[in-house]
Amino acid sequence: MKIGNVDLGERPVMLAPMEDVTDASFRLICKEQGADMTYTEFVSADALIRNISATTRKLHIAEGERPTAIQIYGREVASMVEAAKLVEAASPDIIDINFGCPVKKVAGKGAGAGMLRDIPKMLEITRAVVDAVKLPVTVKTRLGWDCNSKIIVDLAERLQDCGICALTVHGRTRSQMYTGEADWEEIARVKANQRLAIPVIGNGDITTPAKLVEAFERYNVDGVMVGRASIGAPWIFREMTGLLREGRVPEITATEKFALLRRQIRESVERIDEYRGILHIRRHLAASPLFKNIPSFRPTRIEMLKADTLDALEAILTRIETEILPGMSGITD
């Protein structure tokens, strides 16, 4: 599969863009674990133009994580064009436009999935960004605004006509947010459209290696984007690509998984500072499957998520790894 001149190979598996999740450290770890491509946290066009430091920091890309897309969002043509030019200067491999974020502070103001209520403006922004930069431009969006307006099959053609090089479809409407099940049959309809020549990337509810393989084999998408299932579990890309390409899920020991979480913690602290770095990583610790199904774990979980120093957090992780997990049947290392 190629996006412009970026060759991702056959059946690429991608790390989805997620706010407060896909920072540079996490992207690099996921790449090392088997992700074929990574996406930054989304970047506000208005904040980028105003040179807000917290936003400009999101443009940093490590060479080891490439190919990487920087994702931008906004609601005005001029600001999106200016932001795209600033992003191009940061030298990502691809520029992605977010027309899919459903949260109220974005969609409610007309950006992200809010554009699904103003298709002419969406197309105008897309065409203008494509014309303004030399890098490949892609779009990530949803099926439609609600169940009565699933317009994605027609919309995909119109976005293609604007010059985008690939389309990612999250299999929910904006109204669904992240509830219910992603509709992969609708994603398959997009891919089956003979008038669509650009790659179609599917997204939504890909939580296991088996579901990843099903997405390719049953729905015939060109690529698959993995989002929430990777939070606190970057090794999922190694598991998924193992089953996809070698026919088996590799065994990844608890020791290896703890090492990856410790690396995330350490690099988060190094990137920000101890207090805020630990606050940032709590989302990964709270979501990590490494701590699921541990009997009577709630007090330890609360302690772990309240820890505010590296020493305190390391002591808790060591206790879980060396005392709690070995006492559970079925834990191997």
Side-chain angles (χ1 to χ4, degrees), residues 39 86 108 129 178 204 213 263 272 289:
Y39 287 69
L86 292 171
V129 169
Y178 295 101
V213 172
R263 176 179 166 187
I272 313 174

Side-chain angles (χ1 to χ4, degrees), residues 73-283:
Y73 75 96
R75 60 180 180 177
E76 300 299 336
V77 176
S79 61
M80 285 290 282
V81 166
E82 187 175 350
K85 292 178 179 179
L86 292 171
V87 165
E88 185 172 42
S91 300
D93 300 282
I94 290 165
I95 297 174
D96 188 66
I97 304 176
N98 182 321
F99 291 140
C101 179
V103 299
K104 186 175 181 179
K105 69 177 182 179
V106 175
K109 295 179 179 179
M115 280 291 167
L116 289 164
R117 303 183 86 175
D118 191 349
I119 300 305
K121 173 72 77 70
M122 176 194 287
L123 299 175
E124 185 182 6
I125 287 173
T126 304
R127 191 175 296 109
V129 169
V130 168
D131 291 344
V133 298
K134 295 182 174 61
L135 289 174
V137 175
T138 59
V139 161
K140 186 172 189 286
T141 190
R142 288 180 168 235
L143 304 180
W145 180 259
D146 56 31
C147 64
N148 296 315
S149 58
K150 291 185 178 181
I151 59 172
I152 189 60
V153 175
D154 175 70
L155 178 60
E157 283 191 55
R158 299 176 74 181
L159 287 167
Q160 176 179 253
D161 291 343
C162 292
I164 66 170
C165 295
L167 174 68
T168 300
V169 180
H170 181 101
R172 290 181 173 87
T173 63
R174 187 274 171 176
S175 296
Q176 283 182 276
M177 300 294 285
Y178 295 101
T179 63
E181 293 184 359
D183 185 352
W184 277 81
E185 295 292 346
E186 196 71 10
I187 297 174
R189 287 185 62 219
V190 176
K191 176 59 186 173
N193 183 356
Q194 295 297 310
R195 292 185 295 273
L196 202 68
I198 58 175
V200 174
I201 302 159
N203 175 229
D205 294 346
I206 302 300
T207 55
T208 66
K211 287 186 176 182
L212 176 87
V213 172
E214 180 187 32
F216 282 115
E217 295 186 350
R218 179 175 176 181
Y219 302 108
N220 199 35
V221 290
D222 298 290
V224 170
M225 191 174 281
V226 178
R228 288 174 291 168
S230 70
I231 303 175
W235 54 82
I236 198 169
F237 290 101
R238 189 169 150 198
E239 295 175 335
M240 288 180 167
T241 56
L243 183 62
L244 180 66
R245 291 163 190 163
E246 299 174 11
R248 64 180 185 86
V249 177
E251 180 182 348
I252 305 173
T253 67
T255 297
E256 291 177 279
K257 294 175 180 179
F258 270 97
L260 288 171
L261 288 183
R262 285 187 170 97
R263 176 179 166 187
Q264 281 187 253
I265 295 165
R266 183 180 70 252
E267 292 181 356
S268 180
V269 167
E270 290 171 353
R271 182 173 61 89
I272 313 174
D273 57 46
E274 184 173 43
Y275 179 72
R276 291 182 300 156
I278 290 173
L279 283 180
H280 171 74
I281 213 67
R282 282 178 181 169
R283 183 171 182 180

